[in-house]
Structure formats: structure tokens, C-alpha cells
Amino acid sequence: MKLLYSDMLPLKVKAGQEKFINAFHTGMAVADRVEIATGYVSKASLEELDLLAENLKVKTIVLTIGMYCIEGIPEGTYHTAMNINEKWQTACRGEIRMVRPFKYHGKLYAFYKGNKPFKAFVGSHNLGAIKLEASNIRQYEISAMTEVSEETQAIADFIRDLQQPKCSSNIADIKDMKLIREKNASLDGVQEVSQLPPTSVELFKRHIKGLSFELPIKVPAFFNRHIDDNKHFTKSNINVCYAAPRNARKSRDWYETQMTVGVNIRRMPGYPEKNHPFFIVTDDGYWFKAHTTSDNNKQLSAVGNELLLGRWLKGRLVAAGLVNPVNDTQKDTDRLGMITKEMLKAYGCDRLVLSKTDQKAIDEDNIELDVWVLAFESNEDKSE
């Protein structure tokens, strides 16, 4: 047995000691099959594992995760795991499984060569140790490595037991796992927005008068996201950032959106009048001032910040791990940053619902404004 260490002050790795991350990379470089059973993972560590397995040409990899079926899983981690699982299964390279009947908090790693485990780890390092982030960079862990055949086989056998249907299922086969919504960091530091506690959001929801307007989000399907004619959704709604730039030398900001509302909705009684500002409370607790603008009040936007609504809406998809912001939309020729129907389906929401409350609030100019609730919902939410 040999100890594997974290490496941080004041307990830096000493001469003759081995860091966990170095031993992990060495095992991955030699192995043709890797099997892991761990309590927790992170989005970054899943992506790192997939990258290492691909670059080091690991033929088979099976990851079993132990705590989330009962505790719930962060949405970004879930969607990343789903995508990687699909990738591995499509390539017949492996899978990601979830322990179902109990919480499994162990951390075991088995490295195979020619169907025989030649090295194994046991200890306290979750998978997040292979890609340190702010949340765990100061978390010290220690594990043990063995190359004794009886011990490596015992660890490998236990991991295989966890893979049995009585203990775990492929992540894609689990339909009832609780998703934990993650913080929308895209709104951090935005001056025009503030955040409310959940109790305040619920209070405003209870004051909805029954006057609501459903605003569909128009996006393309993934397979035709390259179509870019004037009639296509790339030049409207949430993907307007891919339309022709206003300045030929400067791309549109990826967060730019135009929530264009159909004339049939705008003509309904009670829809907000053009340039009459009102306050919005979002279903996830953000507060900002909005108005309807443009010809025939067809645009719904935040007051004073044309990117705010996009930061709220797209930022939720970013937090969920479904898309990454694009630095230069003109260079995104593959349209990887384009919001698609598949992304909205995976998130479980495909429309906005704007609902008026019987509440009012005073703005910075001492003017009393109506308060509306803006929710990101699905068609199923409406039917329930």
C-alpha cells in the first residue's frame, strides 16, 4: 500500500510522496479499462475524465456515482453526465451509472490491463480531485494505492457489485432524480438587477390576479441550426445574437436577445402598454424594471440594459450545463452557442409566462409601478 496525497499548504507533498492526481494520470495512461465508484462528481471533473479517456485511448470506462439519487443532483452536473454517458454508449466505450437503493459514499478506482486490475485506489478522493475548482481547492483528501493482486481484485469486485442492476442503473434510465437548480452567475454584478429571497417570490406569486400572457420562445432544432435565412429563428428572439452585426467589426453580444411578442398576444386586454415601465419578479428570485418597446410594443425588454433579459434566460441554461457562452458570435460558425429546441426540452422549459399581480412598488423616481411575475415554464406546467 502507498498513500496518495493532496498537495496544499501547509501540507505540501514531500520528497518520496505521490500526489493523487499524478497517480490517477499514470493509471489512466496505462489502463485499457477504468472503473470508478465515487460519492460525488463535478461538471469539471466529468469533462476532465472524458477528455483523459479520449486522449489516452482508454477503451472502456464505467463510472458509478453514489449519492445523487437520494440527495438530488446539481442540474449542470446532471446534464454533463447525461451527455457524456450518451457519448460513451454510442461509441460502445462505457457508461455512467447511479446507485439507487442507498447512499454510496465510498471512493474506489480500478485500473485494468487485459481484463485484469493492476492498480486500485481507495480513500477519500471524490472524482472532483482530478479537476480542482474553487469549491474544493482547499479540501484536503488522502487515499491509498495498491498493486497487490488480491487487493486490486477485491476493490474491482466491489465496484462490479455496485454496477449490478440491484444496486445501480444507467443514468439515462432514471426518470425521477431530483435536479437542483444552480445559481445563475450571468447576473452577478449587473447593476439593474437585484435578488429577492424565495419567500418574497412566493408572496408575489400569491398575488397574481389571473391576468397572464404566454410568450413562446422560438428556437431551431439542432439539426437545422446552420440555416440562416431571413425567415429563420436565428434572426429573432433568443438567438438574435447570430443576426448580422450592427457594426461589421464587432459581433453581437451572445447574451443579446429580442423577446418579440406576437400581435395576437399584444392585442389582448391588459397587455403592458408601450413605454409604460413595470417591475418584474422572476420565478427564480430576480427583480428588475422592464417595459414593452419598438413598433406596436412588440419587444419585451429590461429598462436600461438590453442584455439583462438574455443574461437571465440564457444564464439559466448556462448554469444547467446545457450551453456555454460564446465570446465571438461571428466566429461561432458551427452555431454551438445557439439555443435549440433540444436544449429547452432538456431544461424542461420552452416558454415565458408574464403574469400581473395586484402589487405595486415605488421606483427610483418615486413613481408607483405595477409588479409582474415572469416565469420560465413548460407547456406541461400549464396543463397541471
Side-chain angles (χ1 to χ4, degrees), residues 57-102:
K57 300 185 180 346
V58 177
K59 294 180 181 178
T60 306
I61 183 161
V62 179
L63 171 64
T64 303
I65 308 171
M67 299 293 286
Y68 295 134
C69 271
I70 294 177
E71 289 189 351
I73 183 170
E75 57 182 348
T77 301
Y78 173 77
H79 291 300
T80 301
M82 285 286 286
N83 289 337
I84 291 175
N85 176 69
E86 182 180 11
K87 176 183 176 181
W88 290 353
Q89 289 203 299
T90 300
C92 298
R93 291 182 56 216
E95 63 174 328
I96 296 177
R97 301 183 64 83
M98 310 294 286
V99 176
R100 302 204 66 173
F102 51 80

mmCIF file of all heavy atoms in Angstrom, residues 57-102:
data_model
loop_
_atom_site.group_PDB
_atom_site.id
_atom_site.type_symbol
_atom_site.label_atom_id
_atom_site.label_comp_id
_atom_site.label_asym_id
_atom_site.label_seq_id
_atom_site.Cartn_x
_atom_site.Cartn_y
_atom_site.Cartn_z
ATOM 1 N N LYS A 57 -6.710 7.155 -24.898
ATOM 2 C CA LYS A 57 -7.214 5.990 -25.623
ATOM 3 C C LYS A 57 -7.607 4.836 -24.694
ATOM 4 O O LYS A 57 -7.301 3.655 -24.942
ATOM 5 C CB LYS A 57 -6.192 5.516 -26.661
ATOM 6 C CG LYS A 57 -5.854 6.585 -27.698
ATOM 7 C CD LYS A 57 -4.939 6.066 -28.765
ATOM 8 C CE LYS A 57 -4.556 7.076 -29.817
ATOM 9 N NZ LYS A 57 -5.289 8.324 -29.926
ATOM 10 N N VAL A 58 -8.272 5.186 -23.596
ATOM 11 C CA VAL A 58 -8.850 4.160 -22.720
ATOM 12 C C VAL A 58 -10.036 3.552 -23.455
ATOM 13 O O VAL A 58 -10.963 4.245 -23.849
ATOM 14 C CB VAL A 58 -9.292 4.763 -21.374
ATOM 15 C CG1 VAL A 58 -9.951 3.706 -20.508
ATOM 16 C CG2 VAL A 58 -8.094 5.390 -20.657
ATOM 17 N N LYS A 59 -10.016 2.245 -23.647
ATOM 18 C CA LYS A 59 -11.048 1.593 -24.458
ATOM 19 C C LYS A 59 -12.408 1.560 -23.767
ATOM 20 O O LYS A 59 -13.446 1.699 -24.411
ATOM 21 C CB LYS A 59 -10.607 0.168 -24.810
ATOM 22 C CG LYS A 59 -9.387 0.109 -25.732
ATOM 23 C CD LYS A 59 -9.023 -1.337 -26.028
ATOM 24 C CE LYS A 59 -7.792 -1.411 -26.940
ATOM 25 N NZ LYS A 59 -7.404 -2.825 -27.206
ATOM 26 N N THR A 60 -12.410 1.318 -22.442
ATOM 27 C CA THR A 60 -13.665 1.171 -21.715
ATOM 28 C C THR A 60 -13.577 1.933 -20.399
ATOM 29 O O THR A 60 -12.563 1.866 -19.701
ATOM 30 C CB THR A 60 -13.966 -0.301 -21.418
ATOM 31 O OG1 THR A 60 -13.936 -1.049 -22.636
ATOM 32 C CG2 THR A 60 -15.335 -0.453 -20.769
ATOM 33 N N ILE A 61 -14.653 2.643 -20.075
ATOM 34 C CA ILE A 61 -14.690 3.364 -18.805
ATOM 35 C C ILE A 61 -16.109 3.320 -18.248
ATOM 36 O O ILE A 61 -17.078 3.580 -18.961
ATOM 37 C CB ILE A 61 -14.186 4.812 -18.977
ATOM 38 C CG1 ILE A 61 -14.154 5.525 -17.627
ATOM 39 C CG2 ILE A 61 -15.008 5.582 -19.992
ATOM 40 C CD1 ILE A 61 -13.258 6.748 -17.618
ATOM 41 N N VAL A 62 -16.225 2.936 -16.985
ATOM 42 C CA VAL A 62 -17.521 2.864 -16.303
ATOM 43 C C VAL A 62 -17.407 3.659 -15.011
ATOM 44 O O VAL A 62 -16.542 3.388 -14.175
ATOM 45 C CB VAL A 62 -17.933 1.413 -15.997
ATOM 46 C CG1 VAL A 62 -19.276 1.390 -15.277
ATOM 47 C CG2 VAL A 62 -17.997 0.593 -17.282
ATOM 48 N N LEU A 63 -18.291 4.635 -14.858
ATOM 49 C CA LEU A 63 -18.310 5.478 -13.671
ATOM 50 C C LEU A 63 -19.629 5.265 -12.936
ATOM 51 O O LEU A 63 -20.705 5.413 -13.526
ATOM 52 C CB LEU A 63 -18.172 6.956 -14.077
ATOM 53 C CG LEU A 63 -18.394 7.999 -12.976
ATOM 54 C CD1 LEU A 63 -17.342 7.881 -11.883
ATOM 55 C CD2 LEU A 63 -18.400 9.405 -13.573
ATOM 56 N N THR A 64 -19.560 4.914 -11.659
ATOM 57 C CA THR A 64 -20.749 4.738 -10.824
ATOM 58 C C THR A 64 -20.741 5.818 -9.751
ATOM 59 O O THR A 64 -19.746 5.986 -9.041
ATOM 60 C CB THR A 64 -20.770 3.344 -10.177
ATOM 61 O OG1 THR A 64 -20.701 2.343 -11.205
ATOM 62 C CG2 THR A 64 -22.038 3.139 -9.372
ATOM 63 N N ILE A 65 -21.848 6.554 -9.655
ATOM 64 C CA ILE A 65 -21.942 7.692 -8.737
ATOM 65 C C ILE A 65 -22.964 7.364 -7.654
ATOM 66 O O ILE A 65 -24.054 6.867 -7.946
ATOM 67 C CB ILE A 65 -22.348 8.972 -9.495
ATOM 68 C CG1 ILE A 65 -21.415 9.196 -10.693
ATOM 69 C CG2 ILE A 65 -22.309 10.172 -8.572
ATOM 70 C CD1 ILE A 65 -21.856 10.311 -11.618
ATOM 71 N N GLY A 66 -22.640 7.685 -6.394
ATOM 72 C CA GLY A 66 -23.370 7.078 -5.297
ATOM 73 C C GLY A 66 -24.365 7.878 -4.496
ATOM 74 O O GLY A 66 -25.199 7.294 -3.803
ATOM 75 N N MET A 67 -24.334 9.221 -4.552
ATOM 76 C CA MET A 67 -25.129 9.986 -3.587
ATOM 77 C C MET A 67 -26.349 10.701 -4.160
ATOM 78 O O MET A 67 -27.257 11.086 -3.424
ATOM 79 C CB MET A 67 -24.223 11.032 -2.918
ATOM 80 C CG MET A 67 -23.059 10.438 -2.143
ATOM 81 S SD MET A 67 -23.574 9.493 -0.682
ATOM 82 C CE MET A 67 -24.053 10.824 0.420
ATOM 83 N N TYR A 68 -26.395 10.881 -5.455
ATOM 84 C CA TYR A 68 -27.360 11.827 -6.020
ATOM 85 C C TYR A 68 -28.787 11.313 -6.144
ATOM 86 O O TYR A 68 -29.727 12.106 -6.139
ATOM 87 C CB TYR A 68 -26.879 12.294 -7.388
ATOM 88 C CG TYR A 68 -25.603 13.097 -7.356
ATOM 89 C CD1 TYR A 68 -24.575 12.840 -8.260
ATOM 90 C CD2 TYR A 68 -25.419 14.123 -6.432
ATOM 91 C CE1 TYR A 68 -23.403 13.584 -8.247
ATOM 92 C CE2 TYR A 68 -24.260 14.864 -6.407
ATOM 93 C CZ TYR A 68 -23.242 14.591 -7.323
ATOM 94 O OH TYR A 68 -22.090 15.330 -7.306
ATOM 95 N N CYS A 69 -28.988 10.031 -6.292
ATOM 96 C CA CYS A 69 -30.357 9.533 -6.456
ATOM 97 C C CYS A 69 -31.227 9.866 -5.251
ATOM 98 O O CYS A 69 -32.428 10.114 -5.387
ATOM 99 C CB CYS A 69 -30.351 8.027 -6.700
ATOM 100 S SG CYS A 69 -30.232 7.588 -8.434
ATOM 101 N N ILE A 70 -30.632 9.901 -4.085
ATOM 102 C CA ILE A 70 -31.383 10.206 -2.873
ATOM 103 C C ILE A 70 -31.290 11.688 -2.519
ATOM 104 O O ILE A 70 -32.271 12.300 -2.112
ATOM 105 C CB ILE A 70 -30.895 9.323 -1.703
ATOM 106 C CG1 ILE A 70 -31.231 7.848 -2.008
ATOM 107 C CG2 ILE A 70 -31.494 9.761 -0.378
ATOM 108 C CD1 ILE A 70 -30.755 6.865 -0.974
ATOM 109 N N GLU A 71 -30.121 12.295 -2.714
ATOM 110 C CA GLU A 71 -29.931 13.693 -2.321
ATOM 111 C C GLU A 71 -30.395 14.691 -3.373
ATOM 112 O O GLU A 71 -30.691 15.835 -3.056
ATOM 113 C CB GLU A 71 -28.452 13.956 -2.018
ATOM 114 C CG GLU A 71 -27.941 13.316 -0.755
ATOM 115 C CD GLU A 71 -26.546 13.781 -0.397
ATOM 116 O OE1 GLU A 71 -25.910 14.471 -1.234
ATOM 117 O OE2 GLU A 71 -26.087 13.473 0.712
ATOM 118 N N GLY A 72 -30.447 14.267 -4.637
ATOM 119 C CA GLY A 72 -30.640 15.204 -5.733
ATOM 120 C C GLY A 72 -29.295 15.596 -6.323
ATOM 121 O O GLY A 72 -28.256 15.512 -5.652
ATOM 122 N N ILE A 73 -29.300 16.022 -7.588
ATOM 123 C CA ILE A 73 -28.063 16.292 -8.306
ATOM 124 C C ILE A 73 -28.092 17.702 -8.897
ATOM 125 O O ILE A 73 -29.119 18.129 -9.430
ATOM 126 C CB ILE A 73 -27.847 15.239 -9.421
ATOM 127 C CG1 ILE A 73 -26.514 15.450 -10.152
ATOM 128 C CG2 ILE A 73 -28.993 15.225 -10.412
ATOM 129 C CD1 ILE A 73 -26.159 14.300 -11.090
ATOM 130 N N PRO A 74 -27.007 18.452 -8.789
ATOM 131 C CA PRO A 74 -26.952 19.770 -9.433
ATOM 132 C C PRO A 74 -27.230 19.645 -10.928
ATOM 133 O O PRO A 74 -26.708 18.737 -11.590
ATOM 134 C CB PRO A 74 -25.520 20.243 -9.158
ATOM 135 C CG PRO A 74 -25.112 19.497 -7.931
ATOM 136 C CD PRO A 74 -25.768 18.158 -8.039
ATOM 137 N N GLU A 75 -28.048 20.537 -11.468
ATOM 138 C CA GLU A 75 -28.505 20.391 -12.847
ATOM 139 C C GLU A 75 -27.360 20.415 -13.854
ATOM 140 O O GLU A 75 -27.378 19.685 -14.851
ATOM 141 C CB GLU A 75 -29.530 21.469 -13.195
ATOM 142 C CG GLU A 75 -29.033 22.885 -13.009
ATOM 143 C CD GLU A 75 -30.094 23.918 -13.313
ATOM 144 O OE1 GLU A 75 -31.138 23.564 -13.880
ATOM 145 O OE2 GLU A 75 -29.869 25.099 -12.968
ATOM 146 N N GLY A 76 -26.326 21.238 -13.613
ATOM 147 C CA GLY A 76 -25.199 21.283 -14.534
ATOM 148 C C GLY A 76 -24.445 19.967 -14.567
ATOM 149 O O GLY A 76 -24.029 19.491 -15.628
ATOM 150 N N THR A 77 -24.269 19.379 -13.398
ATOM 151 C CA THR A 77 -23.611 18.072 -13.308
ATOM 152 C C THR A 77 -24.448 17.008 -14.013
ATOM 153 O O THR A 77 -23.920 16.153 -14.735
ATOM 154 C CB THR A 77 -23.404 17.697 -11.833
ATOM 155 O OG1 THR A 77 -22.604 18.699 -11.198
ATOM 156 C CG2 THR A 77 -22.716 16.346 -11.698
ATOM 157 N N TYR A 78 -25.759 17.060 -13.814
ATOM 158 C CA TYR A 78 -26.647 16.067 -14.430
ATOM 159 C C TYR A 78 -26.578 16.117 -15.954
ATOM 160 O O TYR A 78 -26.397 15.081 -16.611
ATOM 161 C CB TYR A 78 -28.078 16.306 -13.966
ATOM 162 C CG TYR A 78 -29.105 15.452 -14.675
ATOM 163 C CD1 TYR A 78 -29.273 14.110 -14.340
ATOM 164 C CD2 TYR A 78 -29.894 15.981 -15.686
ATOM 165 C CE1 TYR A 78 -30.198 13.317 -14.993
ATOM 166 C CE2 TYR A 78 -30.834 15.201 -16.343
ATOM 167 C CZ TYR A 78 -30.981 13.863 -15.999
ATOM 168 O OH TYR A 78 -31.897 13.083 -16.663
ATOM 169 N N HIS A 79 -26.730 17.295 -16.530
ATOM 170 C CA HIS A 79 -26.745 17.389 -17.990
ATOM 171 C C HIS A 79 -25.378 17.022 -18.587
ATOM 172 O O HIS A 79 -25.317 16.410 -19.653
ATOM 173 C CB HIS A 79 -27.166 18.788 -18.418
ATOM 174 C CG HIS A 79 -28.602 19.091 -18.122
ATOM 175 N ND1 HIS A 79 -29.643 18.349 -18.646
ATOM 176 C CD2 HIS A 79 -29.184 20.040 -17.344
ATOM 177 C CE1 HIS A 79 -30.795 18.834 -18.212
ATOM 178 N NE2 HIS A 79 -30.543 19.857 -17.423
ATOM 179 N N THR A 80 -24.303 17.388 -17.899
ATOM 180 C CA THR A 80 -22.979 16.987 -18.365
ATOM 181 C C THR A 80 -22.830 15.475 -18.322
ATOM 182 O O THR A 80 -22.326 14.857 -19.271
ATOM 183 C CB THR A 80 -21.893 17.656 -17.508
ATOM 184 O OG1 THR A 80 -22.026 19.078 -17.582
ATOM 185 C CG2 THR A 80 -20.496 17.261 -17.989
ATOM 186 N N ALA A 81 -23.272 14.861 -17.232
ATOM 187 C CA ALA A 81 -23.195 13.400 -17.111
ATOM 188 C C ALA A 81 -24.044 12.716 -18.172
ATOM 189 O O ALA A 81 -23.634 11.704 -18.760
ATOM 190 C CB ALA A 81 -23.637 12.965 -15.712
ATOM 191 N N MET A 82 -25.229 13.236 -18.440
ATOM 192 C CA MET A 82 -26.097 12.659 -19.474
ATOM 193 C C MET A 82 -25.426 12.710 -20.851
ATOM 194 O O MET A 82 -25.461 11.726 -21.611
ATOM 195 C CB MET A 82 -27.426 13.402 -19.496
ATOM 196 C CG MET A 82 -28.356 13.074 -18.345
ATOM 197 S SD MET A 82 -29.128 11.441 -18.509
ATOM 198 C CE MET A 82 -30.332 11.785 -19.806
ATOM 199 N N ASN A 83 -24.821 13.845 -21.170
ATOM 200 C CA ASN A 83 -24.170 13.984 -22.476
ATOM 201 C C ASN A 83 -22.990 13.038 -22.621
ATOM 202 O O ASN A 83 -22.798 12.409 -23.669
ATOM 203 C CB ASN A 83 -23.712 15.430 -22.682
ATOM 204 C CG ASN A 83 -24.873 16.380 -22.894
ATOM 205 O OD1 ASN A 83 -25.954 15.962 -23.311
ATOM 206 N ND2 ASN A 83 -24.664 17.656 -22.616
ATOM 207 N N ILE A 84 -22.181 12.931 -21.568
ATOM 208 C CA ILE A 84 -21.009 12.050 -21.630
ATOM 209 C C ILE A 84 -21.448 10.590 -21.666
ATOM 210 O O ILE A 84 -20.871 9.776 -22.400
ATOM 211 C CB ILE A 84 -20.076 12.328 -20.439
ATOM 212 C CG1 ILE A 84 -19.441 13.723 -20.602
ATOM 213 C CG2 ILE A 84 -18.992 11.257 -20.331
ATOM 214 C CD1 ILE A 84 -18.602 14.164 -19.431
ATOM 215 N N ASN A 85 -22.463 10.243 -20.895
ATOM 216 C CA ASN A 85 -22.980 8.873 -20.931
ATOM 217 C C ASN A 85 -23.451 8.502 -22.332
ATOM 218 O O ASN A 85 -23.159 7.409 -22.833
ATOM 219 C CB ASN A 85 -24.136 8.744 -19.938
ATOM 220 C CG ASN A 85 -24.794 7.378 -19.978
ATOM 221 O OD1 ASN A 85 -24.213 6.376 -19.584
ATOM 222 N ND2 ASN A 85 -26.032 7.333 -20.473
ATOM 223 N N GLU A 86 -24.184 9.417 -22.973
ATOM 224 C CA GLU A 86 -24.642 9.154 -24.335
ATOM 225 C C GLU A 86 -23.464 8.985 -25.289
ATOM 226 O O GLU A 86 -23.465 8.096 -26.154
ATOM 227 C CB GLU A 86 -25.542 10.290 -24.809
ATOM 228 C CG GLU A 86 -26.107 10.076 -26.211
ATOM 229 C CD GLU A 86 -26.995 11.210 -26.669
ATOM 230 O OE1 GLU A 86 -27.018 12.271 -26.008
ATOM 231 O OE2 GLU A 86 -27.681 11.049 -27.697
ATOM 232 N N LYS A 87 -22.452 9.822 -25.135
ATOM 233 C CA LYS A 87 -21.254 9.731 -25.970
ATOM 234 C C LYS A 87 -20.555 8.387 -25.800
ATOM 235 O O LYS A 87 -20.206 7.724 -26.778
ATOM 236 C CB LYS A 87 -20.297 10.867 -25.608
ATOM 237 C CG LYS A 87 -18.966 10.848 -26.329
ATOM 238 C CD LYS A 87 -18.072 11.985 -25.847
ATOM 239 C CE LYS A 87 -16.695 11.924 -26.493
ATOM 240 N NZ LYS A 87 -15.820 13.032 -25.981
ATOM 241 N N TRP A 88 -20.369 7.968 -24.545
ATOM 242 C CA TRP A 88 -19.693 6.696 -24.287
ATOM 243 C C TRP A 88 -20.507 5.513 -24.793
ATOM 244 O O TRP A 88 -19.950 4.580 -25.384
ATOM 245 C CB TRP A 88 -19.431 6.540 -22.789
ATOM 246 C CG TRP A 88 -18.383 7.456 -22.235
ATOM 247 C CD1 TRP A 88 -17.571 8.302 -22.939
ATOM 248 C CD2 TRP A 88 -18.034 7.625 -20.855
ATOM 249 N NE1 TRP A 88 -16.740 8.987 -22.083
ATOM 250 C CE2 TRP A 88 -16.998 8.586 -20.796
ATOM 251 C CE3 TRP A 88 -18.505 7.062 -19.669
ATOM 252 C CZ2 TRP A 88 -16.418 8.988 -19.588
ATOM 253 C CZ3 TRP A 88 -17.934 7.461 -18.469
ATOM 254 C CH2 TRP A 88 -16.897 8.410 -18.430
ATOM 255 N N GLN A 89 -21.823 5.547 -24.576
ATOM 256 C CA GLN A 89 -22.641 4.428 -25.016
ATOM 257 C C GLN A 89 -22.715 4.354 -26.538
ATOM 258 O O GLN A 89 -22.692 3.248 -27.101
ATOM 259 C CB GLN A 89 -24.037 4.548 -24.414
ATOM 260 C CG GLN A 89 -24.074 4.270 -22.911
ATOM 261 C CD GLN A 89 -25.437 3.841 -22.439
ATOM 262 O OE1 GLN A 89 -26.407 4.583 -22.564
ATOM 263 N NE2 GLN A 89 -25.525 2.636 -21.904
ATOM 264 N N THR A 90 -22.814 5.480 -27.186
ATOM 265 C CA THR A 90 -22.851 5.490 -28.656
ATOM 266 C C THR A 90 -21.581 4.903 -29.240
ATOM 267 O O THR A 90 -21.611 4.176 -30.243
ATOM 268 C CB THR A 90 -23.046 6.929 -29.167
ATOM 269 O OG1 THR A 90 -24.279 7.445 -28.662
ATOM 270 C CG2 THR A 90 -23.072 6.972 -30.691
ATOM 271 N N ALA A 91 -20.449 5.197 -28.592
ATOM 272 C CA ALA A 91 -19.160 4.681 -29.054
ATOM 273 C C ALA A 91 -18.836 3.305 -28.486
ATOM 274 O O ALA A 91 -17.759 2.766 -28.755
ATOM 275 C CB ALA A 91 -18.044 5.659 -28.682
ATOM 276 N N CYS A 92 -19.782 2.724 -27.706
ATOM 277 C CA CYS A 92 -19.571 1.416 -27.050
ATOM 278 C C CYS A 92 -18.310 1.425 -26.192
ATOM 279 O O CYS A 92 -17.541 0.455 -26.167
ATOM 280 C CB CYS A 92 -19.494 0.297 -28.101
ATOM 281 S SG CYS A 92 -20.997 0.100 -29.056
ATOM 282 N N ARG A 93 -18.118 2.538 -25.466
ATOM 283 C CA ARG A 93 -16.923 2.690 -24.638
ATOM 284 C C ARG A 93 -17.208 2.583 -23.156
ATOM 285 O O ARG A 93 -16.278 2.474 -22.354
ATOM 286 C CB ARG A 93 -16.254 4.044 -24.918
ATOM 287 C CG ARG A 93 -15.626 4.147 -26.293
ATOM 288 C CD ARG A 93 -14.946 5.495 -26.470
ATOM 289 N NE ARG A 93 -13.975 5.738 -25.430
ATOM 290 C CZ ARG A 93 -13.744 6.950 -24.898
ATOM 291 N NH1 ARG A 93 -14.451 7.991 -25.284
ATOM 292 N NH2 ARG A 93 -12.822 7.089 -23.974
ATOM 293 N N GLY A 94 -18.476 2.660 -22.761
ATOM 294 C CA GLY A 94 -18.754 2.597 -21.340
ATOM 295 C C GLY A 94 -20.049 3.287 -20.989
ATOM 296 O O GLY A 94 -20.908 3.506 -21.845
ATOM 297 N N GLU A 95 -20.183 3.669 -19.715
ATOM 298 C CA GLU A 95 -21.425 4.278 -19.265
ATOM 299 C C GLU A 95 -21.220 4.969 -17.926
ATOM 300 O O GLU A 95 -20.192 4.801 -17.257
ATOM 301 C CB GLU A 95 -22.522 3.232 -19.134
ATOM 302 C CG GLU A 95 -22.225 2.170 -18.079
ATOM 303 C CD GLU A 95 -23.394 1.226 -17.851
ATOM 304 O OE1 GLU A 95 -24.555 1.677 -17.998
ATOM 305 O OE2 GLU A 95 -23.141 0.052 -17.503
ATOM 306 N N ILE A 96 -22.246 5.755 -17.536
ATOM 307 C CA ILE A 96 -22.315 6.351 -16.209
ATOM 308 C C ILE A 96 -23.543 5.788 -15.515
ATOM 309 O O ILE A 96 -24.646 5.831 -16.048
ATOM 310 C CB ILE A 96 -22.396 7.888 -16.289
ATOM 311 C CG1 ILE A 96 -21.111 8.447 -16.898
ATOM 312 C CG2 ILE A 96 -22.628 8.487 -14.902
ATOM 313 C CD1 ILE A 96 -21.108 9.956 -17.084
ATOM 314 N N ARG A 97 -23.337 5.241 -14.318
ATOM 315 C CA ARG A 97 -24.412 4.615 -13.562
ATOM 316 C C ARG A 97 -24.626 5.368 -12.250
ATOM 317 O O ARG A 97 -23.727 6.041 -11.743
ATOM 318 C CB ARG A 97 -24.086 3.140 -13.276
ATOM 319 C CG ARG A 97 -23.867 2.316 -14.538
ATOM 320 C CD ARG A 97 -23.626 0.845 -14.220
ATOM 321 N NE ARG A 97 -24.784 0.211 -13.607
ATOM 322 C CZ ARG A 97 -25.823 -0.266 -14.301
ATOM 323 N NH1 ARG A 97 -25.838 -0.184 -15.630
ATOM 324 N NH2 ARG A 97 -26.835 -0.854 -13.666
ATOM 325 N N MET A 98 -25.836 5.229 -11.695
ATOM 326 C CA MET A 98 -26.194 5.886 -10.441
ATOM 327 C C MET A 98 -26.685 4.845 -9.439
ATOM 328 O O MET A 98 -27.571 4.030 -9.761
ATOM 329 C CB MET A 98 -27.296 6.922 -10.676
ATOM 330 C CG MET A 98 -27.032 7.904 -11.809
ATOM 331 S SD MET A 98 -25.651 9.023 -11.501
ATOM 332 C CE MET A 98 -26.389 10.130 -10.308
ATOM 333 N N VAL A 99 -26.127 4.870 -8.236
ATOM 334 C CA VAL A 99 -26.589 3.981 -7.169
ATOM 335 C C VAL A 99 -27.974 4.429 -6.717
ATOM 336 O O VAL A 99 -28.194 5.619 -6.458
ATOM 337 C CB VAL A 99 -25.606 3.997 -5.984
ATOM 338 C CG1 VAL A 99 -26.145 3.140 -4.829
ATOM 339 C CG2 VAL A 99 -24.233 3.487 -6.428
ATOM 340 N N ARG A 100 -28.911 3.484 -6.623
ATOM 341 C CA ARG A 100 -30.300 3.854 -6.361
ATOM 342 C C ARG A 100 -30.818 3.540 -4.954
ATOM 343 O O ARG A 100 -31.476 4.369 -4.347
ATOM 344 C CB ARG A 100 -31.226 3.180 -7.379
ATOM 345 C CG ARG A 100 -30.897 3.520 -8.826
ATOM 346 C CD ARG A 100 -32.088 3.349 -9.725
ATOM 347 N NE ARG A 100 -33.139 4.318 -9.398
ATOM 348 C CZ ARG A 100 -34.253 4.485 -10.121
ATOM 349 N NH1 ARG A 100 -34.457 3.737 -11.185
ATOM 350 N NH2 ARG A 100 -35.161 5.372 -9.773
ATOM 351 N N PRO A 101 -30.598 2.340 -4.381
ATOM 352 C CA PRO A 101 -31.325 1.989 -3.150
ATOM 353 C C PRO A 101 -30.760 2.600 -1.875
ATOM 354 O O PRO A 101 -31.415 2.560 -0.830
ATOM 355 C CB PRO A 101 -31.226 0.463 -3.109
ATOM 356 C CG PRO A 101 -29.957 0.159 -3.820
ATOM 357 C CD PRO A 101 -29.819 1.196 -4.900
ATOM 358 N N PHE A 102 -29.544 3.164 -1.930
ATOM 359 C CA PHE A 102 -28.922 3.716 -0.733
ATOM 360 C C PHE A 102 -27.899 4.768 -1.153
ATOM 361 O O PHE A 102 -27.565 4.904 -2.328
ATOM 362 C CB PHE A 102 -28.238 2.615 0.097
ATOM 363 C CG PHE A 102 -27.310 1.739 -0.705
ATOM 364 C CD1 PHE A 102 -26.024 2.150 -1.033
ATOM 365 C CD2 PHE A 102 -27.715 0.481 -1.137
ATOM 366 C CE1 PHE A 102 -25.169 1.338 -1.768
ATOM 367 C CE2 PHE A 102 -26.878 -0.342 -1.877
ATOM 368 C CZ PHE A 102 -25.598 0.096 -2.191
#
